[in-house]
């Protein structure tokens, strides 16, 4: 939850992951290769990781809303949602953390300005969008704005990026370890974990995945993780998922919960690194490249469907709502060039660049239609 994804990294934030999208049609390389510009090529497994997490987030929220407004949802969907609950948001945060080092190459002022525009602005805007849907009474609750809505993900990302900037001379692995220690110590300090309430305890819990992604980025860039690491990690994840489904809740065992979930995400990455560029997976990659948009758009759509469309609960209704939600999210991505202010605060500089591009395109069009003496000779020389 969430997003959409701009120089800001995320679900969920819709950043250009490593560079411009890869154009190869064959199997993607698992490691980064230097492009002519010096930038590494895009790694498709990162898009798959984000895209898959976004699909799971949408399914989870649809299940919850359908249970509230339609009185039920398919049993298999409930079990699947509970089993995968521990892994959805950690996967998105891990993917965002992979981009921390790249973001920190910018000057601190530009770095912070980008995060303000691409994280705090949509966090504030889309939290406000949810007020008329969920009730205006939340407007005067500061903790609701921070952690009472699905937009908490963007607020958490902003905090993690600021921490990353302040501690940029410290290896992110140490920050990840500190997250485990602090979250485990909360009850010992008299602050019981408040996972479902508005208190932002989970900001501490989830920090381990963001900074673990930043710490493991150099290792993952070398190539696919070895099977002796991936297989045991997936086995542990399967056991944890089965346990979560059995208790109908995310297991929150101190230390163990964070480590097991991190192992699960690493195992999933090891599998995704080996997947070829299958045509059937391209839509998931595309969703991952634009993750901030579906992350932010999906919940208002799901809420409106659940509240105002009266259909009997069941697989047919669930799949119909899911298809409609994905369709609206895809449309929102397509309209992003006109609605970019919904996902990042607009700047005069961006508007100026857009105007310059439009002027250049217009000039080129005029040059192509108005003949100039000697143009043919010049064009022939260039082609040769």
């Amino acid at each position: 939850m969430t997003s959409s994804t701009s120089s800001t990294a995320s679900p969920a934030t819709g950043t250009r992951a490593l560079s411009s999208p890869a154009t190869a049609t064959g199997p993607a390389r698992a490691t980064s290769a230097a492009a002519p510009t010096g930038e590494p090529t895009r790694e498709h497994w990162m898009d798959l990781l984000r895209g898959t997490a976004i699909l799971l987030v949408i399914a989870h929220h649809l299940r919850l809303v359908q249970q509230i407004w339609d009185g039920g949802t398919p049993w298999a969907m409930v079990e699947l949602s509970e089993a995968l609950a521990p892994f959805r948001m950690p996967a998105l945060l891990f993917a965002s953390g992979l981009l921390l080092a790249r973001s920190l190459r910018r000057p601190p002022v530009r770095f912070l300005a980008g995060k303000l525009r691409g994280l705090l602005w949509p966090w504030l805007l889309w939290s406000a969008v949810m007020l008329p849907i969920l009730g205006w009474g939340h407007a005067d609750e500061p903790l609701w704005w921070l952690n009472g809505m699905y937009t908490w993900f963007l607020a958490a990302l902003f905090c993690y990026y600021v921490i990353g900037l302040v501690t940029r001379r410290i290896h992110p692995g140490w920050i990840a370890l500190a997250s485990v220690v602090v979250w485990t110590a909360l009850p010992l300090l008299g602050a019981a974990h408040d996972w479902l309430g508005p208190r932002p305890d989970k900001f501490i819990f989830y920090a381990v995945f963001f900074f673990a992604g930043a710490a493991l980025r150099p290792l993952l860039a070398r190539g696919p993780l070895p099977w002796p690491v991936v297989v045991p990690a997936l086995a542990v994840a399967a056991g944890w998922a089965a346990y979560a489904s059995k208790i109908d809740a995310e297991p929150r065992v101190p230390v163990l919960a964070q480590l097991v979930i991190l192992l699960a995400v690493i195992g999933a990455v090891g599998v995704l690194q080996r997947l070829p560029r299958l045509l059937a997976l391209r839509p998931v990659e595309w969703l991952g490249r634009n993750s901030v948009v579906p992350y932010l758009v999906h919940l208002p759509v799901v809420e409106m469907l659940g509240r105002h469309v009266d259909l009997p609960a069941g697989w047919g209704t669930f799949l119909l709502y899911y298809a409609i939600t994905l369709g609206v999210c895809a449309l929102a991505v397509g309209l992003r060039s006109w609605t970019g202010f919904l996902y990042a605060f607009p700047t005069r500089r961006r508007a100026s660049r857009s105007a310059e591009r439009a002027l250049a395109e217009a000039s080129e069009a005029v040059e192509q239609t108005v003949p100039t003496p000697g143009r043919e000779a010049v064009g022939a020389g260039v082609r040769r």
Side-chain angles (χ1 to χ4, degrees):
M1 182 153 0
T2 129
S3 47
S4 54
T5 117
S6 119
S7 62
T8 305
S10 88
T13 56
T15 11
R16 298 186 182 101
L18 292 174
S19 66
S20 58
T23 56
T25 56
R29 299 172 185 173
T31 58
S32 301
T37 59
E39 288 290 324
T41 57
R42 191 183 191 97
E43 296 178 272
H44 77 291
W45 61 265
M46 294 175 63
D47 294 330
L48 285 175
L49 183 65
R50 273 195 301 268
T52 302
I54 289 293
L55 290 174
L56 294 177
V57 167
I58 295 174
H60 172 66
H61 285 153
L62 178 55
R63 187 268 290 191
L64 292 177
V65 170
Q66 195 174 33
Q67 282 186 303
I68 293 171
W69 295 104
D70 296 337
T73 198
W75 174 83
M77 194 61 241
V78 174
E79 293 298 307
L80 183 63
S81 179
E82 293 295 349
L84 296 175
F87 313 115
R88 288 183 294 258
M89 300 313 296
L92 279 175
L93 287 161
F94 187 89
S96 297
L98 292 168
L99 305 177
L100 176 61
R102 183 174 184 268
S103 295
L104 287 174
R105 295 175 194 164
R106 300 184 184 91
V109 173
R110 284 186 56 200
F111 176 89
L112 288 174
K115 303 316 171 192
L116 286 168
R117 290 181 53 250
L119 291 175
L120 285 197
W121 166 252
W123 161 70
L124 181 64
L125 178 64
W126 287 87
S127 296
V129 166
M130 295 303 296
L131 277 176
I133 299 175
L134 299 181
W136 292 100
H138 296 294
D140 58 354
E141 302 175 16
L143 287 179
W144 182 88
W145 287 88
L146 179 64
N147 189 33
M149 193 20 56
Y150 76 123
T151 48
W152 71 266
F153 174 69
L154 300 182
L157 271 183
F158 179 79
C159 293
Y160 300 154
Y161 275 115
V162 172
I163 293 172
L165 176 64
V166 173
T167 63
R168 59 189 179 278
R169 303 202 181 279
I170 301 174
H171 193 280
W174 291 111
I175 311 301
L177 181 60
S179 164
V180 177
V181 172
V182 173
W183 191 75
T184 302
L186 283 178
L188 302 177
L189 299 175
H193 294 142
D194 182 19
W195 192 264
L196 299 177
R199 237 174 52 206
D201 297 6
K202 61 186 176 185
F203 281 37
I204 301 173
F205 177 89
Y206 283 117
V208 64
F209 308 110
F210 179 88
F211 289 103
L216 294 174
R217 180 68 187 97
L219 175 64
L220 297 176
R222 297 174 190 168
L225 293 169
W227 284 117
V229 173
V230 174
V231 173
L234 293 178
V236 170
W240 198 256
Y243 180 56
S245 176
K246 181 180 179 180
I247 65 175
D248 293 327
E250 294 184 40
R252 297 168 197 146
V253 184
V255 181
L256 189 60
Q258 289 167 300
L259 296 183
V260 168
I261 294 170
L262 180 57
L263 270 177
V265 174
I266 290 172
V269 167
V271 173
L272 296 178
Q273 285 178 313
R274 290 174 164 82
L275 287 181
R277 299 294 302 282
L278 298 174
L279 187 62
L281 294 178
R282 295 301 177 87
V284 183
E285 288 186 41
W286 178 80
L287 199 65
R289 284 195 297 273
N290 300 279
S291 56
V292 67
V293 178
Y295 184 85
L296 290 171
V297 169
H298 81 276
L299 190 57
V301 176
V302 167
E303 285 282 354
M304 298 303 289
L305 288 173
R307 291 166 184 260
H308 300 294
V309 179
D310 188 17
L311 292 177
W315 273 112
T317 300
F318 183 89
L319 294 176
L320 176 63
Y321 286 0
Y322 197 69
I324 291 174
T325 304
L326 288 178
V328 173
C329 290
L331 178 62
V333 173
L335 295 174
R336 190 176 179 182
S337 58
W338 290 278
T339 59
F341 66 92
L342 295 175
Y343 315 107
F345 189 80
T347 62
R348 191 173 299 177
R349 182 180 177 185
R350 172 177 288 185
S352 175
R353 287 200 303 266
S354 299
E356 289 174 2
R357 283 198 300 268
L359 181 60
E361 291 171 359
S363 300
E364 183 179 357
V366 170
E367 290 177 358
Q368 290 173 351
T369 55
V370 179
T372 303
R375 174 185 299 276
E376 293 78 9
V378 173
V382 171
R383 285 193 292 273
R384 284 197 295 271

